């Protein structure tokens, strides 16, 4: 049996950087070596493992074995930096004693409450964050690929090597301005009107509006769509009558009570269950971040 118990940490980091940046050339620039050196390190690691770790395409694609080692490299780096940060009282001028945690988060959580959780942890520790905004249906894939250490996701089943904590349910209301509703839904909300009335979506991964249409009509319809990949502009577009869309019910409760906005189907409010998944690292930072995320979510989401 091949002995793979002693893996070169430099080669592991090189693999992780190459996967993250997508090319040998980009990895070489970050690591201050030549592209040939990057290729040789990864080739030596493949020889050691006895498996192909990368598909040499652009961007580079890790194999299943490659993903395992990317996760290992990222986990090792986080634990090393966390240990150094605990040992050093004052950060070096280049900031090397700070631990960096990559995290994938859906837009509504990011713009609603998630930053409060990050700030709480950062107030106590030398830590910075790389937050990747992604739809809740796709964040778990970031975990599987080893790109992030934790994610807010809609998947209750744990990604291999991860722990899952339920955060709660985010309830949405399908709303439009009173003027938009009078123009497009004067004859009621049904298949014909929903097929024609413009909708607003966050991006092409945002399926909330189309899912709502299917629940109401039991049909797959293709209304005209405006895509606005910003929570502020998405919200604004609905409020100025560019289309209808789903907003967190807490954000529109006042307008619905006043009558300035109208709910398409009163009382029919879809819910999205969200979960916090994180690697089982044995990291005190990740544990504290988990506690902070759960606490921040509690004030915004239904149980």
């Amino acid at each position: 049996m091949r002995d793979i118990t002693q893996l070169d940490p430099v080669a592991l980091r090189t693999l992780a950087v190459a996967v993250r940046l997508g090319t040998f050339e980009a990895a070489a620039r970050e690591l201050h070596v030549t592209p040939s050196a990057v290729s040789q390190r990864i080739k030596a690691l493949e020889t050691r493992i006895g498996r192909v770790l990368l598909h040499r395409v652009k961007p580079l694609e890790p194999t299943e074995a490659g993903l395992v080692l990317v996760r290992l490299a990222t986990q090792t780096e986080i634990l090393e930096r966390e240990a150094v940060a605990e040992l050093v009282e004052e950060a070096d001028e280049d900031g090397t004693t700070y631990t960096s945690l990559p995290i994938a988060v859906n837009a509504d959580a990011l713009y609603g409450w998630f930053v409060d959780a990050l700030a709480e942890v950062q107030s106590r520790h030398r830590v910075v964050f790389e937050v990747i905004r992604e739809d809740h249906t796709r964040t778990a894939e970031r975990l599987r690929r080893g790109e992030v250490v934790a994610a807010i996701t809609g998947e209750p089943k744990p990604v291999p090597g991860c722990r899952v904590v339920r955060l709660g349910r985010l309830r949405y209301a399908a709303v439009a301005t009173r003027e938009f509703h009078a123009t497009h839904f004067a004859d009621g909300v049904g298949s014909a009107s929903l097929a024609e009335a413009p909708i607003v979506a966050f991006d092409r991964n945002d399926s909330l509006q189309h899912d709502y249409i299917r629940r109401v009509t039991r049909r797959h319809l293709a209304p005209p769509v405006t895509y606005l990949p910003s929570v502020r502009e998405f919200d604004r577009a609905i409020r100025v009558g560019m289309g209808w869309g789903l907003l967190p019910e807490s954000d529109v409760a006042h307008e619905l009570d006043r009558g300035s906005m109208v709910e398409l189907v009163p009382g029919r409010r879809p819910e999205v269950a969200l979960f916090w998944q994180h690697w089982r690292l044995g990291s005190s930072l990740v544990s504290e971040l988990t506690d902070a995320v759960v606490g921040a979510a509690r004030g915004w989401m239904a149980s």
Side-chain angles (χ1 to χ4, degrees):
M1 179 179 293
R2 187 181 298 270
D3 182 12
I4 60 172
T5 56
Q6 299 295 323
L7 297 177
D8 181 3
V10 174
L12 283 173
R13 181 166 184 261
T14 301
L15 173 67
V17 172
V19 169
R20 174 166 56 84
L21 298 181
T23 66
F24 287 161
E25 292 76 14
R29 286 193 294 271
E30 177 158 319
L31 296 171
H32 305 292
V33 297
T34 65
S36 176
V38 171
S39 178
Q40 289 171 11
R41 289 177 185 178
I42 294 174
K43 185 63 178 178
L45 192 57
E46 289 177 324
T47 301
R48 179 75 174 176
I49 296 295
R51 298 187 189 183
V52 175
L53 301 176
L54 284 179
H55 297 301
R56 267 68 169 179
V57 296
K58 289 190 177 181
L60 295 166
E61 284 288 337
T63 64
E64 288 299 317
L67 286 176
V68 172
L69 294 188
V70 168
R71 287 197 298 268
L72 173 62
T74 307
Q75 291 171 350
T76 300
E77 183 176 1
I78 288 171
L79 291 175
E80 286 179 349
R81 285 183 174 273
E82 187 174 334
V84 170
E86 290 181 7
L87 293 172
V88 178
E89 290 186 2
E90 294 185 0
D92 296 337
E93 291 183 0
D94 62 3
T96 56
T97 58
Y98 276 76
T99 302
S100 178
L101 296 181
I103 306 164
V105 185
N106 64 310
D108 284 331
L110 177 59
Y111 289 95
W113 53 267
F114 190 73
V115 173
D116 292 341
L118 301 184
E120 179 183 338
V121 175
Q122 194 179 60
S123 69
R124 297 192 298 268
H125 298 281
R126 298 183 186 278
V127 59
V128 291
F129 304 95
E130 179 183 1
V131 178
I132 300 170
R133 190 191 66 198
E134 187 68 271
D135 189 78
H136 70 280
T137 62
R138 299 166 64 90
T139 51
E141 183 59 28
R142 298 276 190 169
L143 277 171
R144 292 188 186 94
R145 290 176 56 85
E147 297 174 2
V148 298
V149 301
I152 292 181
T153 175
E155 291 194 22
K157 183 178 179 180
V159 171
C162 290
R163 175 175 173 249
V164 180
V165 180
R166 181 182 173 87
L167 295 177
R169 294 171 288 114
L170 192 58
R171 186 177 293 118
Y172 291 86
V175 297
T177 64
R178 179 164 294 282
E179 295 75 16
F180 183 94
H181 190 276
T183 299
H184 295 277
F185 299 112
D187 296 326
V189 177
S191 296
S193 57
L194 286 171
E196 297 295 332
I199 67 176
V200 181
F202 193 80
D203 56 27
R204 293 186 181 275
N205 296 320
D206 177 11
S207 64
L208 279 177
Q209 283 68 220
H210 289 88
D211 290 344
Y212 181 85
I213 290 173
R214 284 193 292 273
R215 291 190 185 100
V216 171
T217 67
R218 299 181 183 273
R219 295 180 60 187
H220 291 265
L221 303 177
V225 186
T226 292
Y227 296 102
L228 284 168
S230 163
V231 169
R232 179 179 177 182
E233 280 69 35
F234 173 86
D235 182 284
R236 178 67 176 162
I238 295 172
R239 294 174 187 273
V240 298
M242 290 183 64
W244 69 268
L246 283 104
L247 294 173
E249 67 171 9
S250 58
D251 291 352
V252 294
H254 184 59
E255 287 88 344
L256 290 174
D257 288 341
R258 289 191 314 176
S260 58
M261 300 194 78
V262 179
E263 191 170 6
L264 268 62
V265 182
R268 187 152 194 170
R269 299 186 177 181
E271 296 179 337
V272 174
L274 294 178
F275 304 85
W276 174 250
Q277 293 210 31
H278 65 83
W279 288 346
R280 295 180 180 273
L281 274 178
S283 163
S284 59
L285 268 179
V286 174
S287 295
E288 286 197 39
L289 178 59
T290 296
D291 291 341
V293 167
V294 172
R298 189 175 296 124
W300 284 75
M301 302 174 66
S303 59

